[in-house]
Amino acid sequence: MVAGIRAFRIEDTFIEPAVLDPPPTRHALFIFLLALAALLHFATIGWGDLYSETEGQYAGAAREMLHAHQWLLPTNDGIPRLQKPPLLYWMIIASFKLFGIHAAAARLPIAAAIVATVALTFLIGERLTDYWRGFLAGLIYLCSCGTFLLGRIIMPEPVFAAFIAGAIFCGICGYQRRQSRAAWFAGFWICAALACLTKGLHGLIYPAAIFSLLALLDRTARLRFRALLYWPYLLIFLVIVAPWYIWAHWHVPGFFHRLAGAEWLGHLLGRSDSTHDFRGVPRLQFIAMHLAWWFPWSIAILPGLIFSWRRLVRPHEIEFSDALPLCWMAIVFVPLLLLGQRQDYYSMTMWSALALWLATAWNRAPTRSTIAGAIALAISGAAIGMFALFAPSLLHQMDGRWGKMDGRWTAWAAVQDIPIATWLGFRPLIGTVGVALFICAIVALIFVVKQRPKLALVALATAMIPIGLGMIDGTARAAPYFSLAPAARYLNGRLGPRDAVIYEGLLEDGSSLVFYLNRKFFLVNQLPEAQTPIGSAPSDVFLDEDDLLEMWGDADAIYLIVEQDRIPHWEKLLTDRFHIYHQVTSCGTYVVLSNQL
């Protein structure tokens, strides 16, 4: 009996890497990874209220667009919000139409983007090396502190990162598959266009710069990526991206000028014509925050990176599979560190690249380095557990002595005002974090000693599942100190047709009102130009104190939302004029005043 044997062509064996059907193990790992990602992110989208700032801005704008049937102009409280393109708003609107207007539906596109990025990280790792590298990279990306926390915030970055990863994957497939190269390169431009509609021109600049750097380093890449420059691809890109920008420029005078000045150039050079500081956090703080977002992997790989970095990077024998993640990280992270606006979540675009590199570096690291990393994580778990044990005495000693931040991250101002009793409620979560990390680090240490680095990495990722769920639960519990949702619910049940709500503060700091309050509200003591870097704000939204006092004397109910440290000012102002001061409720660091007894 003669067995039939398939003869592979040269392009199959050298250009097409997957000439054989993948084994069942590959499918099992991929399905497990996607199922875990879906469980962690889809099952938790309903936990907690939406925060102010980005969550309220995007979800609130989508809600206003849906109610007004205005699909092209995002607004917050009727004020145009054109700093970012509309794709994320459209995705949230689609979710609202399918599932209703609530917090879970608003978070659904973000959760879908995280799951998509996990899948693409797996597929990119598989294309570069094998399915085990893809699985470990996807697991590292999914089981990081930053993915659990920043990966559930409603903002463009998770969706933007998914489209960038999609563009990179299409580019790699086009590099490897000559026969279908045209289709894959078209996919590259489509993903780049969708990324541009999510955040801006970075959607094209990042993948183009990554592949350009690869082309400079490798002659083969230079020859194959040259096909990316065919003019039909550019036409596809323009058909997707250009219509909204043309519409915005046509309907908003000076749109391109102010967008380039306030957003693109301001982000690049670290300045802006708005009232906000576009330089972001200091460099050392920026690096320290990323060590936290990349935990536990930042600790696990640190000994190897310090003492055996040549073995991890292999600078003299670097291949395409190693060069791509390094170029990806360099193009995104280095400019953020050296130039422009340093915000920690901007680097989410290269977290997939970091996961791909860490998956390889962990296997290359000497045993003594991985042992040191596992021991460091075990010590970290023990320290966290001890903190949970002695939390009452430690927190009472720290009460009132937090130390003021520099104001560049406004969330820290609310952190300092959270009562000690609330912090003590987190003790079980902190204890769970410490125990899970300690036990899994010990298990990982055993696997490292037995020369099973892949299982050791899986053990560390296992520790992050209860830790990540605890962090999500903790952010949900802290929502009243970062969201005005409780105040909005209180007012929704009491507002009459002619009653009014007034908020003192920047619109972005109270943006959760845009989503939760069932009507528009006024802003007091705010300048219109400070709230609208692009476009013009309706003048009837803004009040000064004289306007408010005139309204306060009417028969209709007026509700004023102010920060607690502004109470002395308003108490004196109202009692001098009306001899009445009435506080009806509080919400975190805010207080609601009313002219009705």
Side-chain angles (χ1 to χ4, degrees):
M1 181 178 294
V2 180
I5 300 175
R6 177 185 173 189
F8 296 116
R9 295 172 299 174
I10 292 178
E11 56 264 25
D12 289 329
T13 54
F14 292 100
I15 298 178
E16 302 276 354
V19 295
L20 299 176
D21 293 333
T25 304
R26 183 265 184 196
H27 299 309
L29 292 175
F30 189 49
I31 292 172
F32 170 79
L33 190 62
L34 292 186
L36 180 61
L39 176 66
L40 293 175
H41 287 274
F42 286 128
T44 60
I45 56 176
W47 293 13
D49 294 322
L50 301 185
Y51 280 22
S52 289
E53 298 194 11
T54 59
E55 291 203 305
Q57 288 171 338
Y58 283 94
R63 182 174 181 262
E64 288 190 1
M65 293 169 73
L66 182 60
H67 286 164
H69 300 284
Q70 170 57 267
W71 315 117
L72 298 176
L73 180 64
T75 60
N76 276 181
D77 199 34
I79 299 174
R81 177 172 169 76
L82 292 166
Q83 292 93 324
K84 295 293 186 291
L87 183 56
L88 179 56
Y89 301 110
W90 293 340
M91 296 172 71
I92 298 173
I93 289 171
S95 181
F96 285 164
K97 281 184 167 289
L98 289 174
F99 303 105
I101 301 176
H102 47 75
R107 292 192 181 108
L108 182 61
I110 306 302
I114 293 296
V115 175
T117 305
V118 170
L120 287 166
T121 302
F122 178 98
L123 295 173
I124 292 172
E126 182 183 36
R127 280 285 164 195
L128 292 178
T129 307
D130 56 34
Y131 59 83
W132 268 109
R133 182 183 183 183
F135 172 73
L136 296 178
L139 203 59
I140 290 171
Y141 178 87
L142 178 62
C143 296
S144 302
C145 285
T147 304
F148 280 113
L149 291 178
L150 299 184
R152 65 180 269 109
I153 297 176
I154 301 173
M155 58 182 177
E157 276 67 29
V159 180
F160 181 74
F163 285 129
I164 294 297
I168 299 297
F169 174 67
C170 290
I172 294 172
C173 290
Y175 172 87
Q176 295 177 335
R177 296 182 172 183
R178 187 178 68 180
Q179 291 180 333
S180 56
R181 183 168 296 162
W184 284 113
F185 282 176
F188 167 91
W189 281 91
I190 291 172
C191 289
L194 294 175
C196 290
L197 273 182
T198 302
K199 190 175 178 181
L201 288 181
H202 300 77
L204 178 60
I205 293 173
Y206 280 158
I210 292 166
F211 286 140
S212 296
L213 184 57
L214 283 170
L216 289 175
L217 299 175
D218 183 75
R219 181 177 179 275
T220 303
R222 186 160 56 250
L223 294 174
R224 297 181 184 178
F225 287 147
R226 186 179 300 169
L228 279 169
L229 301 178
Y230 288 172
W231 68 266
Y233 299 143
L234 180 60
L235 184 60
I236 293 173
F237 176 84
L238 292 176
V239 167
I240 296 174
V241 174
W244 181 80
Y245 281 96
I246 294 172
W247 177 92
H249 183 69
W250 186 267
H251 289 82
V252 181
F255 168 75
F256 272 118
H257 173 75
R258 300 193 69 180
L259 181 68
E263 291 295 310
W264 300 341
L265 189 60
H267 279 65
L268 179 63
L269 300 180
R271 65 170 183 261
S272 172
D273 58 5
S274 70
T275 58
H276 299 283
D277 184 359
F278 268 57
R279 291 170 294 176
V281 299
R283 287 190 179 91
L284 290 179
Q285 184 179 338
F286 182 77
I287 295 173
M289 291 167 71
H290 280 82
L291 292 177
W293 297 140
W294 298 337
F295 183 87
W297 318 111
S298 56
I299 302 299
I301 202 64
L302 192 59
L305 193 60
I306 293 175
F307 300 108
S308 307
W309 72 270
R310 288 183 178 274
R311 182 168 175 176
L312 270 61
V313 179
R314 296 182 180 178
H316 299 298
E317 50 184 280
I318 192 167
E319 299 177 353
F320 181 87
S321 60
D322 295 323
L324 187 139
L326 292 175
C327 292
W328 190 348
M329 289 189 288
I331 291 298
V332 177
F333 192 78
V334 173
L336 289 177
L337 184 64
L338 301 180
L339 308 168
Q341 184 180 9
R342 285 184 298 275
Q343 296 295 346
D344 52 337
Y345 51 86
Y346 283 3
S347 69
M348 290 183 70
T349 309
M350 48 74 62
W351 287 6
S352 290
L354 178 70
L356 290 164
W357 180 79
L358 285 172
T360 301
W362 177 260
N363 288 325
R364 290 178 179 174
T367 301
R368 63 180 181 275
S369 298
T370 50
I371 288 176
I375 292 175
L377 289 173
I379 294 173
S380 300
I384 293 171
M386 294 297 291
F387 175 80
L389 185 63
F390 297 103
S393 59
L394 292 174
L395 288 176
H396 283 296
Q397 291 177 12
M398 295 169 61
D399 190 17
R401 294 193 294 271
W402 285 99
K404 295 296 180 182
M405 305 298 290
D406 61 4
R408 288 179 180 165
W409 190 17
T410 57
W412 281 107
V415 167
Q416 299 174 70
D417 295 318
I418 297 179
I420 293 296
T422 302
W423 286 112
L424 291 177
F426 294 130
R427 285 184 69 196
L429 293 178
I430 298 173
T432 301
V433 168
V435 171
L437 187 59
F438 179 79
I439 293 176
C440 291
I442 295 299
V443 173
L445 181 61
I446 294 172
F447 282 130
V448 169
V449 172
K450 292 185 176 181
Q451 302 296 318
R452 305 296 295 273
K454 293 177 182 177
L455 292 179
L457 190 147
V458 172
L460 294 178
T462 302
M464 289 303 299
I465 295 174
I467 292 173
L469 292 174
M471 289 189 293
I472 294 172
D473 184 47
T475 57
R477 294 189 190 186
Y481 294 91
F482 302 92
S483 174
L484 288 168
R489 294 192 187 99
Y490 175 88
L491 296 175
N492 285 335
R494 290 164 174 79
L495 287 170
R498 296 175 57 86
D499 298 339
V501 177
I502 303 171
Y503 172 74
E504 184 186 40
L506 292 172
L507 179 58
E508 65 180 62
D509 295 338
S511 62
S512 52
L513 282 175
V514 181
F515 181 74
Y516 286 104
L517 193 64
N518 290 337
R519 65 178 60 195
K520 293 183 179 180
F521 53 93
F522 296 96
L523 298 172
V524 64
N525 292 332
Q526 298 299 313
L527 297 174
E529 56 270 19
Q531 306 289 343
T532 317
I534 300 175
S536 58
S539 58
D540 58 353
V541 174
F542 298 91
L543 305 175
D544 57 27
E545 292 184 356
D546 292 334
D547 297 327
L548 185 147
L549 292 175
E550 183 177 346
M551 295 173 61
W552 205 262
D554 294 341
D556 300 320
I558 306 296
Y559 296 94
L560 173 63
I561 304 174
V562 299
E563 285 271 13
Q564 289 179 350
D565 57 7
R566 291 284 291 170
I567 288 178
H569 170 79
W570 286 105
E571 183 176 9
K572 182 178 185 306
L573 195 65
L574 294 174
T575 53
D576 287 348
R577 178 76 173 266
F578 301 102
H579 308 290
I580 295 176
Y581 170 81
H582 185 44
Q583 177 179 322
V584 294
T585 189
S586 62
C587 174
T589 60
Y590 285 90
V591 173
V592 182
L593 312 178
S594 177
N595 65 342
Q596 304 293 312
L597 295 178

